[in-house]
Amino acid sequence: MTTTSKYVELVGAQQRAARHATSMPLFVNALAMCYLTYVRFVDPGQLAAATLTPMVAYAALLLAMLLQRQLTGVGLGRDRYGIVAVGAIGLVVIFGPWAFSLLGASFFLGLGLVILGVRARDAWLWIPGTVLMVAGPAITFASPGLYILTACTVGMLAVSTTALVREQRTAKIDIS
């Protein structure tokens, strides 16, 4: 790899770090998983709340990134948070509670992370997303579903925190 391409790669990494392009989606999904865990512990019958969770999570992610752009001037990049938010809304409208009762809300949260991760070529997004997609039906149907949900929630909180620390270190690298 040439010095120029290393420089361009580092600048790109710093821009993604400044935008929190990895930690922000992970954190929003971690909060959504916390909510799903809360619903499962307190009121397991709230299917409507679980159905709306991915839609609300990705709409909140889009709003957070737009707010960040207004406050800091750091752009949205090419991650297409809006497309994922609109896609989540479309899934709710098209499939409604039926798909969510089969696959689970965490499946659709994971699907959004996979889409963002593949678009950004970011394993920090698509790997946790894949885990959530695989765990979604198990959370819904398996007898230890509550334990799987709790483990996924704790895992998402840990991964989002680690990603934030990683982004902060990347942002501090001197590229001059």
Side-chain angles (χ1 to χ4, degrees):
M1 192 182 271
T2 66
T3 305
T4 304
S5 61
K6 286 181 185 178
Y7 178 78
V8 170
E9 184 178 315
L10 184 56
V11 168
Q14 284 187 322
Q15 288 176 344
R16 285 189 57 76
R19 289 187 292 117
H20 300 288
T22 300
S23 64
M24 186 73 76
L26 289 171
F27 182 69
V28 168
N29 274 273
L31 289 178
M33 293 297 292
C34 287
Y35 176 73
L36 292 174
T37 305
Y38 169 80
V39 167
R40 184 86 178 254
F41 270 114
V42 176
D43 188 5
Q46 279 195 357
L47 179 62
T51 303
L52 297 176
T53 302
M55 176 184 68
V56 171
Y58 284 104
L61 175 61
L62 175 62
L63 290 174
M65 296 310 261
L66 289 172
L67 181 62
Q68 174 183 263
R69 183 169 107 186
Q70 288 296 104
L71 295 175
T72 65
V74 177
L76 291 176
R78 295 177 290 160
D79 295 312
R80 305 291 189 243
Y81 301 108
I83 291 173
V84 176
V86 170
I89 293 167
L91 288 172
V92 170
V93 170
I94 293 169
F95 296 108
W98 178 79
F100 287 84
S101 66
L102 290 177
L103 299 172
S106 56
F107 174 89
F108 293 100
L109 288 169
L111 179 61
L113 283 178
V114 168
I115 291 168
L116 291 175
V118 168
R119 287 191 51 77
R121 295 183 192 103
D122 189 348
W124 280 79
L125 292 174
W126 68 259
I127 290 174
T130 303
V131 170
L132 289 180
M133 288 178 71
V134 169
I139 290 169
T140 304
F141 291 113
S143 55
L146 184 56
Y147 301 113
I148 297 168
L149 176 62
T150 303
C152 286
T153 302
V154 170
M156 286 300 295
L157 288 168
V159 169
S160 65
T161 302
T162 304
L164 179 61
V165 169
R166 185 174 155 256
E167 286 172 342
Q168 289 174 339
R169 285 184 187 151
T170 300
K172 291 179 183 177
I173 294 174
D174 184 19
I175 60 172
S176 52

